[in-house]
Amino acid sequence: MPSIRVFTGDENGLTKSIKFTIPEGRLRADTVITTSVETVDERPNSGKVQRMAIGQEPNGEKRLAVGRSSGNLSLYSYRPRADEIELKQEWNEERFKSEDAFVGLSIGSRGTYSCTTRGFLRLKSFEADVGSSEDAPEASSRTTALPMRLKDWRLSPSETHFAYGGDEVEVSLWDIEKAFNEPVKASEDVINSGRKRKERKDKVKLLHGEVWRAQNVPHDFLNIRQPVHNTALSFIHQGSTTSDAHNVIVAGTAAGAVRLYDIRSQRKPIQNWDKICPNSSVKDIQCGKLEHQLFVSDSQSRVYTIDIRNGRTNYRYPNAKGAVVSLAPAPHEYLLSVSLDHFIRLYTTPPPPAKANQNQPAKGKLVHEEYLKGTPSVVVWDAVSGLGKDSVTKKKTWEEKNAREAEEEDEIWNNMEVTGAVQDEGTSSDGSEESGEDSEEEDNSRIKRLRAS
């Protein structure tokens, strides 16, 4: 039986390990999925869990990072088949204030990256196990300052770039090395750049370390400037090599639009799908495990699967009773979500059609939901469970099925007879050529028969 394990954090500061055991074969309405929920860490005094991230150290050990509303960050180690986690590092963000929040948290090969709403970015190395920020040497951390009012921050899969977006802060791509080479004390121009950006309309001056910055969409039909409210973003890295995994970025807005950017072509979005989430804002965006697959949740408890090739909604999952605040794609074509109604849900995620304009062959379904005592705020897949030969075999089966369906459709179109088409002059329906004299004799004989009748 395949099993999928995720970690969740809630508003009470609890970190939980949740394992789903799924029977083999096709899932039916009466299929029983067993779930085990274990609380692996309790920090009620540290506040709400705002961000979680999964990664590994250069030696291969798995790591779980947790950021809380008090400014506390913790790094744990865990084993694939054990519910227990072990605390390895813990520190506090010194620049964190009560109104701040963590908008980004990632684990890379060099350490743990964290970013706050006021743009305080930190890289904490794996070098030493520390108990608090007071005991941590300054050499183990690298810091820099980004624009303020950020809503989301993401590290590229190649760990060479990062991107962010926020309230009146356009989507921006930065080079990591150049960003941390900036002096530790940030100038007022850097910290307040989100505020001053509105004044620079004709010419955009990139900040130190900034590689690319998006441009706002055109004015609306009343010629009124459209506000910039980026709420979530993600890198589209399916099918990309390591060197160009940062070139395509997708962002969601408070107006419910999903915009696709390609930094190689232009600053404006190459696609602006403004009707993905009607009358609601985008809460989370996650790149799927399969090519052309994108998952989007909004503030009205809806979850969508989007085809990146054309922005089409392939299917929508049943509504939850609260806003879906976090998504976590997993192997075996599954998706997990947590929402404000205290539930964690497990969905199936059939792959997109082989061609962009084809109909979706199968729809995603809700297969299980589990009630959690605390209000969950974030969910992440453990990056280990569910992987194996069966997962690879299933993915290949789906790809072969899509390719076979595409070939069958092409064969049907190629074998269709052409009806109602104008045939070439001097060519009969069976493809044989006729002389002009034979055609004229047939016409004359047909006229004679009509007159005789």
Side-chain angles (χ1 to χ4, degrees), residues 19-44:
K19 181 185 292 184
F20 296 85
T21 303
I22 306 169
E24 295 283 357
R26 185 176 181 182
L27 296 178
R28 302 180 183 277
D30 56 349
T31 302
V32 178
I33 298 177
T34 58
T35 307
S36 63
V37 181
E38 297 288 340
T39 300
V40 293
D41 190 27
E42 298 184 29
R43 299 290 183 91

PDB file of all heavy atoms in Angstrom, residues 19-44:
ATOM      1  N   LYS A  19       0.054  10.834   8.267  1.00  0.00           N
ATOM      2  CA  LYS A  19       0.339   9.812   7.265  1.00  0.00           C
ATOM      3  C   LYS A  19      -0.972   9.257   6.717  1.00  0.00           C
ATOM      4  O   LYS A  19      -1.868   8.884   7.472  1.00  0.00           O
ATOM      5  CB  LYS A  19       1.173   8.683   7.861  1.00  0.00           C
ATOM      6  CG  LYS A  19       1.526   7.577   6.854  1.00  0.00           C
ATOM      7  CD  LYS A  19       2.239   6.426   7.517  1.00  0.00           C
ATOM      8  CE  LYS A  19       3.616   6.822   7.994  1.00  0.00           C
ATOM      9  NZ  LYS A  19       4.355   5.647   8.553  1.00  0.00           N
ATOM     10  N   PHE A  20      -1.067   9.202   5.381  1.00  0.00           N
ATOM     11  CA  PHE A  20      -2.214   8.618   4.688  1.00  0.00           C
ATOM     12  C   PHE A  20      -1.783   7.285   4.084  1.00  0.00           C
ATOM     13  O   PHE A  20      -0.829   7.233   3.306  1.00  0.00           O
ATOM     14  CB  PHE A  20      -2.713   9.543   3.571  1.00  0.00           C
ATOM     15  CG  PHE A  20      -3.247  10.863   4.055  1.00  0.00           C
ATOM     16  CD1 PHE A  20      -2.399  11.931   4.282  1.00  0.00           C
ATOM     17  CD2 PHE A  20      -4.598  11.034   4.292  1.00  0.00           C
ATOM     18  CE1 PHE A  20      -2.875  13.143   4.724  1.00  0.00           C
ATOM     19  CE2 PHE A  20      -5.089  12.246   4.732  1.00  0.00           C
ATOM     20  CZ  PHE A  20      -4.229  13.303   4.949  1.00  0.00           C
ATOM     21  N   THR A  21      -2.482   6.219   4.426  1.00  0.00           N
ATOM     22  CA  THR A  21      -2.229   4.897   3.853  1.00  0.00           C
ATOM     23  C   THR A  21      -3.345   4.594   2.865  1.00  0.00           C
ATOM     24  O   THR A  21      -4.517   4.504   3.245  1.00  0.00           O
ATOM     25  CB  THR A  21      -2.175   3.812   4.938  1.00  0.00           C
ATOM     26  OG1 THR A  21      -1.165   4.164   5.898  1.00  0.00           O
ATOM     27  CG2 THR A  21      -1.832   2.463   4.325  1.00  0.00           C
ATOM     28  N   ILE A  22      -2.968   4.443   1.590  1.00  0.00           N
ATOM     29  CA  ILE A  22      -3.943   4.349   0.498  1.00  0.00           C
ATOM     30  C   ILE A  22      -3.910   2.944  -0.084  1.00  0.00           C
ATOM     31  O   ILE A  22      -2.834   2.441  -0.443  1.00  0.00           O
ATOM     32  CB  ILE A  22      -3.624   5.382  -0.589  1.00  0.00           C
ATOM     33  CG1 ILE A  22      -3.521   6.775   0.026  1.00  0.00           C
ATOM     34  CG2 ILE A  22      -4.683   5.368  -1.691  1.00  0.00           C
ATOM     35  CD1 ILE A  22      -2.957   7.820  -0.895  1.00  0.00           C
ATOM     36  N   PRO A  23      -5.052   2.265  -0.190  1.00  0.00           N
ATOM     37  CA  PRO A  23      -5.075   0.918  -0.765  1.00  0.00           C
ATOM     38  C   PRO A  23      -4.666   0.922  -2.234  1.00  0.00           C
ATOM     39  O   PRO A  23      -4.808   1.920  -2.941  1.00  0.00           O
ATOM     40  CB  PRO A  23      -6.542   0.482  -0.603  1.00  0.00           C
ATOM     41  CG  PRO A  23      -7.107   1.407   0.424  1.00  0.00           C
ATOM     42  CD  PRO A  23      -6.360   2.688   0.287  1.00  0.00           C
ATOM     43  N   GLU A  24      -4.152  -0.215  -2.687  1.00  0.00           N
ATOM     44  CA  GLU A  24      -3.787  -0.366  -4.089  1.00  0.00           C
ATOM     45  C   GLU A  24      -5.047  -0.419  -4.950  1.00  0.00           C
ATOM     46  O   GLU A  24      -6.124  -0.761  -4.494  1.00  0.00           O
ATOM     47  CB  GLU A  24      -2.969  -1.642  -4.297  1.00  0.00           C
ATOM     48  CG  GLU A  24      -1.616  -1.636  -3.607  1.00  0.00           C
ATOM     49  CD  GLU A  24      -0.601  -0.787  -4.361  1.00  0.00           C
ATOM     50  OE1 GLU A  24      -0.942  -0.260  -5.439  1.00  0.00           O
ATOM     51  OE2 GLU A  24       0.534  -0.662  -3.864  1.00  0.00           O
ATOM     52  N   GLY A  25      -4.882  -0.112  -6.224  1.00  0.00           N
ATOM     53  CA  GLY A  25      -5.991  -0.193  -7.157  1.00  0.00           C
ATOM     54  C   GLY A  25      -6.761   1.104  -7.269  1.00  0.00           C
ATOM     55  O   GLY A  25      -6.390   2.136  -6.699  1.00  0.00           O
ATOM     56  N   ARG A  26      -7.844   1.023  -7.988  1.00  0.00           N
ATOM     57  CA  ARG A  26      -8.659   2.214  -8.257  1.00  0.00           C
ATOM     58  C   ARG A  26      -9.439   2.628  -7.029  1.00  0.00           C
ATOM     59  O   ARG A  26     -10.046   1.804  -6.341  1.00  0.00           O
ATOM     60  CB  ARG A  26      -9.615   1.916  -9.418  1.00  0.00           C
ATOM     61  CG  ARG A  26     -10.426   3.121  -9.866  1.00  0.00           C
ATOM     62  CD  ARG A  26     -11.277   2.758 -11.081  1.00  0.00           C
ATOM     63  NE  ARG A  26     -12.044   3.906 -11.527  1.00  0.00           N
ATOM     64  CZ  ARG A  26     -12.898   3.875 -12.549  1.00  0.00           C
ATOM     65  NH1 ARG A  26     -13.064   2.728 -13.240  1.00  0.00           N
ATOM     66  NH2 ARG A  26     -13.563   4.949 -12.905  1.00  0.00           N
ATOM     67  N   LEU A  27      -9.436   3.917  -6.729  1.00  0.00           N
ATOM     68  CA  LEU A  27     -10.164   4.430  -5.581  1.00  0.00           C
ATOM     69  C   LEU A  27     -11.645   4.530  -5.894  1.00  0.00           C
ATOM     70  O   LEU A  27     -12.054   5.051  -6.938  1.00  0.00           O
ATOM     71  CB  LEU A  27      -9.624   5.806  -5.187  1.00  0.00           C
ATOM     72  CG  LEU A  27      -8.166   5.846  -4.695  1.00  0.00           C
ATOM     73  CD1 LEU A  27      -7.764   7.269  -4.388  1.00  0.00           C
ATOM     74  CD2 LEU A  27      -7.977   4.968  -3.482  1.00  0.00           C
ATOM     75  N   ARG A  28     -12.470   4.011  -4.981  1.00  0.00           N
ATOM     76  CA  ARG A  28     -13.924   4.065  -5.132  1.00  0.00           C
ATOM     77  C   ARG A  28     -14.524   4.830  -3.958  1.00  0.00           C
ATOM     78  O   ARG A  28     -13.815   5.247  -3.048  1.00  0.00           O
ATOM     79  CB  ARG A  28     -14.498   2.648  -5.196  1.00  0.00           C
ATOM     80  CG  ARG A  28     -13.924   1.814  -6.334  1.00  0.00           C
ATOM     81  CD  ARG A  28     -14.530   0.420  -6.350  1.00  0.00           C
ATOM     82  NE  ARG A  28     -13.955  -0.406  -7.386  1.00  0.00           N
ATOM     83  CZ  ARG A  28     -14.331  -0.412  -8.653  1.00  0.00           C
ATOM     84  NH1 ARG A  28     -15.330   0.383  -9.033  1.00  0.00           N
ATOM     85  NH2 ARG A  28     -13.744  -1.197  -9.537  1.00  0.00           N
ATOM     86  N   ALA A  29     -15.850   4.987  -4.020  1.00  0.00           N
ATOM     87  CA  ALA A  29     -16.523   5.748  -2.964  1.00  0.00           C
ATOM     88  C   ALA A  29     -16.409   5.054  -1.614  1.00  0.00           C
ATOM     89  O   ALA A  29     -16.394   5.710  -0.562  1.00  0.00           O
ATOM     90  CB  ALA A  29     -17.994   5.950  -3.334  1.00  0.00           C
ATOM     91  N   ASP A  30     -16.335   3.713  -1.602  1.00  0.00           N
ATOM     92  CA  ASP A  30     -16.258   2.973  -0.344  1.00  0.00           C
ATOM     93  C   ASP A  30     -14.826   2.604   0.041  1.00  0.00           C
ATOM     94  O   ASP A  30     -14.610   1.826   0.970  1.00  0.00           O
ATOM     95  CB  ASP A  30     -17.103   1.706  -0.429  1.00  0.00           C
ATOM     96  CG  ASP A  30     -16.691   0.824  -1.602  1.00  0.00           C
ATOM     97  OD1 ASP A  30     -15.907   1.300  -2.451  1.00  0.00           O
ATOM     98  OD2 ASP A  30     -17.162  -0.326  -1.675  1.00  0.00           O
ATOM     99  N   THR A  31     -13.828   3.144  -0.673  1.00  0.00           N
ATOM    100  CA  THR A  31     -12.436   2.856  -0.344  1.00  0.00           C
ATOM    101  C   THR A  31     -12.063   3.486   1.000  1.00  0.00           C
ATOM    102  O   THR A  31     -12.343   4.662   1.234  1.00  0.00           O
ATOM    103  CB  THR A  31     -11.497   3.376  -1.443  1.00  0.00           C
ATOM    104  OG1 THR A  31     -11.844   2.773  -2.690  1.00  0.00           O
ATOM    105  CG2 THR A  31     -10.055   3.041  -1.108  1.00  0.00           C
ATOM    106  N   VAL A  32     -11.457   2.679   1.857  1.00  0.00           N
ATOM    107  CA  VAL A  32     -11.079   3.149   3.194  1.00  0.00           C
ATOM    108  C   VAL A  32      -9.612   3.582   3.182  1.00  0.00           C
ATOM    109  O   VAL A  32      -8.723   2.792   2.877  1.00  0.00           O
ATOM    110  CB  VAL A  32     -11.294   2.050   4.247  1.00  0.00           C
ATOM    111  CG1 VAL A  32     -10.851   2.545   5.622  1.00  0.00           C
ATOM    112  CG2 VAL A  32     -12.758   1.632   4.281  1.00  0.00           C
ATOM    113  N   ILE A  33      -9.372   4.841   3.486  1.00  0.00           N
ATOM    114  CA  ILE A  33      -8.015   5.392   3.597  1.00  0.00           C
ATOM    115  C   ILE A  33      -7.746   5.658   5.068  1.00  0.00           C
ATOM    116  O   ILE A  33      -8.453   6.448   5.702  1.00  0.00           O
ATOM    117  CB  ILE A  33      -7.872   6.680   2.764  1.00  0.00           C
ATOM    118  CG1 ILE A  33      -8.103   6.384   1.279  1.00  0.00           C
ATOM    119  CG2 ILE A  33      -6.491   7.301   2.974  1.00  0.00           C
ATOM    120  CD1 ILE A  33      -8.046   7.619   0.407  1.00  0.00           C
ATOM    121  N   THR A  34      -6.745   4.993   5.599  1.00  0.00           N
ATOM    122  CA  THR A  34      -6.431   5.169   7.019  1.00  0.00           C
ATOM    123  C   THR A  34      -5.484   6.348   7.206  1.00  0.00           C
ATOM    124  O   THR A  34      -4.605   6.600   6.384  1.00  0.00           O
ATOM    125  CB  THR A  34      -5.793   3.900   7.596  1.00  0.00           C
ATOM    126  OG1 THR A  34      -4.613   3.585   6.846  1.00  0.00           O
ATOM    127  CG2 THR A  34      -6.760   2.737   7.507  1.00  0.00           C
ATOM    128  N   THR A  35      -5.670   7.062   8.316  1.00  0.00           N
ATOM    129  CA  THR A  35      -4.886   8.258   8.607  1.00  0.00           C
ATOM    130  C   THR A  35      -4.370   8.205  10.032  1.00  0.00           C
ATOM    131  O   THR A  35      -5.110   7.838  10.952  1.00  0.00           O
ATOM    132  CB  THR A  35      -5.741   9.522   8.430  1.00  0.00           C
ATOM    133  OG1 THR A  35      -6.345   9.511   7.140  1.00  0.00           O
ATOM    134  CG2 THR A  35      -4.891  10.764   8.559  1.00  0.00           C
ATOM    135  N   SER A  36      -3.108   8.543  10.203  1.00  0.00           N
ATOM    136  CA  SER A  36      -2.534   8.643  11.549  1.00  0.00           C
ATOM    137  C   SER A  36      -1.998  10.059  11.742  1.00  0.00           C
ATOM    138  O   SER A  36      -1.285  10.583  10.883  1.00  0.00           O
ATOM    139  CB  SER A  36      -1.412   7.620  11.745  1.00  0.00           C
ATOM    140  OG  SER A  36      -0.343   7.861  10.856  1.00  0.00           O
ATOM    141  N   VAL A  37      -2.368  10.679  12.857  1.00  0.00           N
ATOM    142  CA  VAL A  37      -1.982  12.055  13.169  1.00  0.00           C
ATOM    143  C   VAL A  37      -1.174  12.048  14.457  1.00  0.00           C
ATOM    144  O   VAL A  37      -1.648  11.575  15.499  1.00  0.00           O
ATOM    145  CB  VAL A  37      -3.220  12.965  13.313  1.00  0.00           C
ATOM    146  CG1 VAL A  37      -2.782  14.396  13.609  1.00  0.00           C
ATOM    147  CG2 VAL A  37      -4.078  12.912  12.058  1.00  0.00           C
ATOM    148  N   GLU A  38       0.063  12.550  14.375  1.00  0.00           N
ATOM    149  CA  GLU A  38       0.940  12.612  15.537  1.00  0.00           C
ATOM    150  C   GLU A  38       1.461  14.040  15.710  1.00  0.00           C
ATOM    151  O   GLU A  38       1.959  14.640  14.758  1.00  0.00           O
ATOM    152  CB  GLU A  38       2.127  11.661  15.384  1.00  0.00           C
ATOM    153  CG  GLU A  38       1.751  10.192  15.308  1.00  0.00           C
ATOM    154  CD  GLU A  38       1.285   9.642  16.645  1.00  0.00           C
ATOM    155  OE1 GLU A  38       1.615  10.273  17.687  1.00  0.00           O
ATOM    156  OE2 GLU A  38       0.611   8.601  16.657  1.00  0.00           O
ATOM    157  N   THR A  39       1.335  14.571  16.924  1.00  0.00           N
ATOM    158  CA  THR A  39       1.911  15.881  17.245  1.00  0.00           C
ATOM    159  C   THR A  39       3.387  15.679  17.582  1.00  0.00           C
ATOM    160  O   THR A  39       3.722  15.010  18.562  1.00  0.00           O
ATOM    161  CB  THR A  39       1.185  16.531  18.423  1.00  0.00           C
ATOM    162  OG1 THR A  39      -0.201  16.705  18.082  1.00  0.00           O
ATOM    163  CG2 THR A  39       1.788  17.888  18.735  1.00  0.00           C
ATOM    164  N   VAL A  40       4.261  16.255  16.771  1.00  0.00           N
ATOM    165  CA  VAL A  40       5.702  16.023  16.938  1.00  0.00           C
ATOM    166  C   VAL A  40       6.405  17.175  17.625  1.00  0.00           C
ATOM    167  O   VAL A  40       7.554  17.031  18.051  1.00  0.00           O
ATOM    168  CB  VAL A  40       6.351  15.738  15.568  1.00  0.00           C
ATOM    169  CG1 VAL A  40       5.850  14.425  14.998  1.00  0.00           C
ATOM    170  CG2 VAL A  40       6.093  16.881  14.579  1.00  0.00           C
ATOM    171  N   ASP A  41       5.752  18.336  17.738  1.00  0.00           N
ATOM    172  CA  ASP A  41       6.366  19.459  18.435  1.00  0.00           C
ATOM    173  C   ASP A  41       5.281  20.419  18.890  1.00  0.00           C
ATOM    174  O   ASP A  41       4.326  20.693  18.150  1.00  0.00           O
ATOM    175  CB  ASP A  41       7.369  20.186  17.539  1.00  0.00           C
ATOM    176  CG  ASP A  41       8.199  21.191  18.325  1.00  0.00           C
ATOM    177  OD1 ASP A  41       8.379  20.990  19.535  1.00  0.00           O
ATOM    178  OD2 ASP A  41       8.666  22.174  17.721  1.00  0.00           O
ATOM    179  N   GLU A  42       5.407  20.925  20.111  1.00  0.00           N
ATOM    180  CA  GLU A  42       4.438  21.867  20.668  1.00  0.00           C
ATOM    181  C   GLU A  42       5.168  23.127  21.094  1.00  0.00           C
ATOM    182  O   GLU A  42       6.076  23.078  21.914  1.00  0.00           O
ATOM    183  CB  GLU A  42       3.712  21.244  21.866  1.00  0.00           C
ATOM    184  CG  GLU A  42       2.904  20.002  21.521  1.00  0.00           C
ATOM    185  CD  GLU A  42       2.130  19.492  22.732  1.00  0.00           C
ATOM    186  OE1 GLU A  42       1.784  20.332  23.594  1.00  0.00           O
ATOM    187  OE2 GLU A  42       1.875  18.288  22.804  1.00  0.00           O
ATOM    188  N   ARG A  43       4.765  24.252  20.533  1.00  0.00           N
ATOM    189  CA  ARG A  43       5.339  25.548  20.899  1.00  0.00           C
ATOM    190  C   ARG A  43       4.215  26.577  21.082  1.00  0.00           C
ATOM    191  O   ARG A  43       4.090  27.520  20.309  1.00  0.00           O
ATOM    192  CB  ARG A  43       6.289  26.036  19.810  1.00  0.00           C
ATOM    193  CG  ARG A  43       7.483  25.129  19.535  1.00  0.00           C
ATOM    194  CD  ARG A  43       8.472  25.161  20.690  1.00  0.00           C
ATOM    195  NE  ARG A  43       9.641  24.357  20.401  1.00  0.00           N
ATOM    196  CZ  ARG A  43      10.743  24.803  19.836  1.00  0.00           C
ATOM    197  NH1 ARG A  43      10.829  26.075  19.488  1.00  0.00           N
ATOM    198  NH2 ARG A  43      11.765  24.007  19.623  1.00  0.00           N
ATOM    199  N   PRO A  44       3.367  26.403  22.086  1.00  0.00           N
ATOM    200  CA  PRO A  44       2.234  27.335  22.238  1.00  0.00           C
ATOM    201  C   PRO A  44       2.653  28.770  22.503  1.00  0.00           C
ATOM    202  O   PRO A  44       1.919  29.706  22.176  1.00  0.00           O
ATOM    203  CB  PRO A  44       1.466  26.740  23.431  1.00  0.00           C
ATOM    204  CG  PRO A  44       2.488  25.949  24.184  1.00  0.00           C
ATOM    205  CD  PRO A  44       3.430  25.401  23.150  1.00  0.00           C
TER     206      PRO A  44
END
